[in-house]
Amino acid sequence: SRALEQGNAADLRRAAHTLKSNARNFGALKLGDLCQALESRAQADELAGADELLAQVRAECARACQALERLRAGAEGGAHD
């Protein structure tokens, strides 16, 4: 994330917080937990090692997006009424 590259803990915290909330609303609990960890790290201004956590967030986000896409495709496939 650009915020992490620039060492901007406040922007990183806001982005992680927003993604955490959205992830949990969609039932992507693991993604929400990873975002919570990233948010907490940014809030404490502890950005060392946050790049590894961000990589985990990105990977889990990709998995969550794939799962949502499968659900959407399934819902469209079943809507033949």
Side-chain angles (χ1 to χ4, degrees):
S1 123
R2 189 178 343 201
L4 182 57
E5 290 169 6
Q6 296 175 348
N8 189 331
D11 284 352
L12 182 61
R13 186 202 62 76
R14 275 191 294 278
H17 176 80
T18 300
L19 184 55
K20 173 190 72 178
S21 299
N22 288 317
R24 288 180 174 167
N25 283 337
F26 281 101
L29 302 182
K30 182 175 180 181
L31 177 57
D33 290 347
L34 287 167
C35 290
Q36 174 68 58
L38 188 58
E39 179 185 8
S40 296
R41 187 173 287 197
Q43 187 163 3
D45 202 20
E46 295 176 6
L47 300 184
D51 53 340
E52 182 178 321
L53 187 53
L54 182 59
Q56 292 176 34
V57 167
R58 285 181 171 150
E60 189 59 30
C61 188
R63 281 190 286 277
C65 286
Q66 290 170 353
L68 287 170
E69 180 60 30
R70 285 191 300 273
L71 286 172
R72 185 191 64 78
E76 287 178 357
H80 294 292
D81 295 336

